[in-house]
Amino acid sequence: GENVEQHPSTLSVQEGDSAVIKCTYSDSASNYFPWYKQELGKGPQLIIDIRSNVGEKKDQRIAVTLNKTAKHFSLHITETQPEDSAVYFCAASFFGNEKLTFGTGTRLTIIP
Amino acid sequence: EADIYQTPRYLVIGTGKKITLECSQTMGHDKMYWYQQDPGMELHLIHYSYGVNSTEKGDLSSESTVSRIRTEHFPLTLESARPSHTSQYLCASSESDTQYFGPGTRLLVL
């Protein structure tokens, strides 16, 4: 089955700087890669996703890049703000098997 | 954004009690999921359903059971709660591959 590794497990970034979280996956059939943000006491919220037919997707300060050859994808947050502090999860799945395999999470702390 | 609801949000209960965690969604999604999330953060799939009268066990073995009698409703039941069941339980639903999560139920079994 699919295996998703996520790094780092914790990340502290000065407010205004950029943050990058990386994930690798094992199953070359995977073609859907969402990113979730989970704030304290809440459920995970989808913030951005990418499918295997594109290499990059941006939404304001958030971007995701995908390298199918190397089987890794990354979340980039620019101009970080205190409200970006949360736990971020990557995940992977492939069409026809909509069960997501999640990474182990990254706790991001933005230092004011 | 999907509307998916979970009740109760917090539950403290004694060992041996039967509990049902409720999950409902108003999007008409066919697929629904239950995850268990411990303080170590990782999410583990314990049950899923691809439609009415369809339920499957997930990757993590669980003593809980689920039912799917109506599209919008996917309750999870523990017949006899134990301290080892203490965790956060997250419900999700999807139309295709994008899953939307509810706020979770934090369960504490004494």
Side-chain angles (χ1 to χ4, degrees):
Chain A
E2 175 66 278
N3 182 51
V4 177
E5 294 188 359
Q6 183 171 347
H7 300 282
S9 57
T10 60
L11 179 62
S12 295
V13 173
Q14 206 73 35
E15 182 178 353
D17 288 349
S18 296
V20 180
I21 302 170
K22 300 181 179 181
C23 289
T24 60
Y25 61 99
S26 60
D27 193 338
S28 57
S30 290
N31 60 2
Y32 175 65
F33 308 93
W35 284 91
Y36 288 86
K37 174 184 181 182
Q38 187 175 24
E39 297 176 300
L40 194 62
K42 298 183 179 180
Q45 178 186 10
L46 179 72
I47 56 172
I48 195 167
D49 56 13
I50 191 168
R51 299 179 192 280
S52 57
N53 57 342
V54 297
E56 183 175 2
K57 185 176 178 181
K58 292 182 73 172
D59 183 3
Q60 299 183 341
R61 298 186 296 109
I62 295 173
V64 56
T65 58
L66 171 65
N67 184 325
K68 288 173 57 180
T69 303
K71 289 191 282 189
H72 67 70
F73 57 110
S74 300
L75 177 71
H76 304 254
I77 305 174
T78 59
E79 301 173 18
T80 53
Q81 300 168 5
E83 53 263 38
D84 294 329
S85 293
V87 177
Y88 292 81
F89 291 95
C90 64
S93 71
F94 59 88
F95 183 76
N97 180 18
E98 282 83 8
K99 291 191 292 178
L100 288 172
T101 300
F102 283 87
T104 49
T106 297
R107 187 177 300 278
L108 175 64
T109 302
I110 306 303
I111 304 166
Chain B
E1 186 172 329
D3 291 326
I4 181 164
Y5 308 97
Q6 290 186 244
T7 57
R9 293 294 316 278
Y10 305 93
L11 180 61
V12 181
I13 201 162
T15 297
K17 299 293 186 183
K18 178 180 179 178
I19 61 170
T20 297
L21 308 184
E22 302 288 351
C23 176
S24 60
Q25 49 95 5
T26 59
M27 298 294 101
H29 290 168
D30 284 330
K31 303 178 186 73
M32 296 189 74
Y33 311 82
W34 276 103
Y35 293 86
Q36 185 172 335
Q37 184 179 37
D38 290 327
M41 300 191 301
E42 202 165 347
L43 288 97
H44 299 283
L45 181 68
I46 52 174
H47 298 284
Y48 62 99
S49 168
Y50 284 170
V52 171
N53 294 324
S54 153
T55 61
E56 301 287 345
K57 290 190 178 295
D59 304 321
L60 180 68
S61 176
S62 174
E63 294 168 347
S64 58
T65 59
V66 293
S67 62
R68 190 85 184 277
I69 299 173
R70 301 199 318 262
T71 298
E72 63 272 20
H73 198 214
F74 191 39
L76 180 146
T77 298
L78 277 166
E79 290 293 333
S80 179
R82 295 207 300 267
S84 61
H85 297 139
T86 294
S87 189
Q88 170 152 266
Y89 293 85
L90 291 161
C91 181
S93 73
S94 70
E95 182 61 36
S96 56
D97 47 17
T98 303
Q99 292 187 22
Y100 300 95
F101 284 83
T105 294
R106 190 169 294 278
L107 173 65
L108 173 61
V109 183
L110 302 175

